[in-house]
Amino acid sequence: MPRYLSLLESGELHDRSLVMGNLLRDCTLCPRECRIDRTQDASGFCRSGHLPIVASYCAHHGEEPVLSGTRGSGTIFFGHCNLRCVFCQNHQISQPAHSLRGNEVSLERLAGIMLELQSMECHNINFVSPSHFAAQIVKGVEIAASKGLRIPLVYNTNGYESLNTLRLLDGVIDIYLPDLKYSDNSAALEYSKAKDYVRHARSSIVEMKRQVGDLVVGSDGIARSGLIIRHLVLPNDLAGSGESLRFIREEIEAKTFISTMSQYFPTHKAGKYPLLSRPIGQREYEKVLEWLDRFGLENGWVQDYSSKDYYCPDFKKSQPFEVD
Ligand code: SF4
């Protein structure tokens, strides 16, 4: 059974949602620590108020096989973000030219979307870019679980997380799916406006592993709980792939499941940055695969070099908002 059900039964889920709701009044949900009152104001880095912004939701068949399975991962794409990646592959919803606050939904509606995805027989609920809405998600889960939600929860994050928020998610989330984007803060600052990304992402992944442990997959091939780390290879080794893989090997463990992705393409503002203005080369990608071998990291998935669109959702088909 998903972990959040025992918290619901004990009343702890309700207490967590109250504590996290209070964090919104002086927001420290993520490492930005903007300290604005989001019940009144949406001027923080993520430009988000107290209601969640749902850009789209669907049964997603392009996630890792243990998440998408045969019936899809019940994916909820949140609008806006606590990073500003100049190469964001989902920039239409993470950094839209105009605010997506018109897509705000009530917490009851967020819970209703979870139940709708469950009724579509999705294998799980997959929260994409959840960090700035973690409090709203916990309240939504409380409502949905009390109305019959019973499938695992996936926290699909850019990795820029606050440890305090993650600890409040302990027992709520079943599967953590963090990015590990950089191993060098100067690159994180230049390309994602996060000068302390490496410290926060690494300590977050250690905490996630502590909470959920190794990946557990049922006899049907579908993930029940655990950790999967995503690593998008960037041109000119801007992702610091070797150093990130070394960190996983030495600080997490060799049997960690890693999803290695080749799908980078220079979208959004990437063309203005010479080192990011081209796709990755085949040899560059092969070098990362060699590092995986060298560090003995054998579990996970390696996106084929030539099928770069494998994980790319088509927002134009699934979203209820206009792409600028
Ligand atoms: S969640 Fe948004 S408002 Fe809160 S600290 Fe992070 S960026 Fe700032």
Side-chain angles (χ1 to χ4, degrees):
M1 295 294 277
R3 288 152 42 97
Y4 56 84
L5 291 178
S6 46
L7 291 190
L8 176 73
E9 204 168 305
S10 67
E12 174 73 14
L13 192 57
H14 181 66
D15 293 345
R16 298 272 188 96
S17 75
L18 291 179
V19 170
M20 295 183 80
N22 278 332
L23 287 180
L24 292 175
R25 295 183 180 280
D26 183 33
C27 192
T28 54
L29 265 191
C30 88
R32 300 278 177 197
E33 299 197 345
C34 299
R35 294 198 171 275
I36 59 159
D37 181 354
R38 286 178 56 185
T39 65
Q40 307 292 326
D41 187 0
S43 64
F45 189 91
C46 64
R47 299 186 295 159
S48 304
H50 72 291
L51 289 178
I53 298 169
V54 174
S56 70
Y57 63 98
C58 62
H60 190 349
H61 293 274
E63 299 284 50
E64 285 76 1
V66 291
L67 300 176
S68 284
T70 53
R71 303 192 300 269
S73 176
T75 305
I76 301 176
F77 295 95
F78 289 101
H80 299 183
C81 190
N82 66 342
L83 291 182
R84 292 264 199 285
C85 302
V86 297
F87 54 87
C88 181
Q89 318 275 296
N90 299 339
H91 64 95
Q92 300 100 326
I93 61 173
S94 66
Q95 302 167 54
H98 305 290
S99 168
L100 291 184
R101 292 195 68 196
N103 280 57
E104 284 183 343
V105 298
S106 67
L107 299 172
E108 289 74 19
R109 173 63 184 142
L110 178 62
I113 291 171
M114 296 180 207
L115 292 167
E116 190 180 329
L117 290 166
Q118 177 174 265
S119 71
M120 292 160 63
E121 302 195 342
C122 292
H123 297 290
N124 45 60
I125 302 297
N126 181 351
F127 301 114
V128 178
S129 293
S131 318
H132 54 305
F133 290 124
Q136 294 87 338
I137 286 170
V138 170
K139 185 63 189 176
V141 168
E142 183 195 350
I143 297 169
S146 67
K147 293 182 176 178
L149 187 72
R150 294 293 180 269
I151 54 179
L153 303 180
V154 182
Y155 196 79
N156 185 341
T157 165
N158 58 37
Y160 195 51
E161 294 287 341
S162 146
L163 270 186
N164 183 50
T165 298
L166 280 181
R167 287 175 185 139
L168 289 164
L169 293 174
D170 189 4
V172 179
I173 300 299
D174 299 285
I175 299 160
Y176 281 108
L177 182 61
D179 294 336
L180 187 50
K181 289 179 178 294
Y182 302 104
S183 60
D184 178 76
N185 278 324
S186 59
L189 175 61
E190 183 163 8
Y191 304 122
S192 297
K193 287 196 171 46
K195 64 179 190 297
D196 49 4
Y197 177 87
V198 178
R199 171 168 65 90
H200 286 291
R202 289 185 177 188
S203 58
S204 295
I205 289 172
V206 170
E207 170 63 14
M208 292 171 189
K209 175 68 193 300
R210 184 194 70 75
Q211 289 182 22
V212 296
D214 297 324
L215 187 68
V216 174
V217 177
S219 57
D220 55 359
I222 301 300
R224 301 291 192 270
S225 64
L227 172 70
I228 302 170
I229 300 173
R230 278 182 172 170
H231 181 68
L232 175 68
V233 179
L234 294 177
N236 297 295
D237 196 27
L238 292 175
S241 300
E243 180 54 22
S244 284
L245 296 177
R246 185 207 58 76
F247 162 77
I248 294 170
R249 174 69 178 84
E250 292 179 6
E251 308 293 329
I252 308 297
E253 66 179 319
K255 60 183 177 182
T256 304
F257 277 71
I258 302 171
S259 185
T260 308
M261 303 162 80
S262 63
Q263 69 187 40
Y264 175 81
F265 62 97
T267 185
H268 192 34
K269 299 176 181 168
K272 296 179 186 163
Y273 295 80
L275 295 178
L276 280 173
S277 61
R278 62 166 175 82
I280 60 168
Q282 185 157 5
R283 181 62 200 127
E284 277 177 312
Y285 194 55
E286 286 168 358
K287 198 169 167 192
V288 175
L289 305 189
E290 286 166 16
W291 279 322
L292 280 167
D293 273 350
R294 187 184 310 166
F295 290 117
L297 297 164
E298 295 178 345
N299 287 334
W301 302 268
V302 171
Q303 197 174 35
D304 191 73
Y305 176 74
S306 55
S307 62
K308 296 185 170 64
D309 59 351
Y310 183 67
Y311 292 118
C312 273
D314 187 344
F315 290 114
K316 288 182 187 139
K317 282 186 194 151
S318 63
Q319 44 73 28
F321 66 93
E322 289 190 6
V323 176
D324 52 61

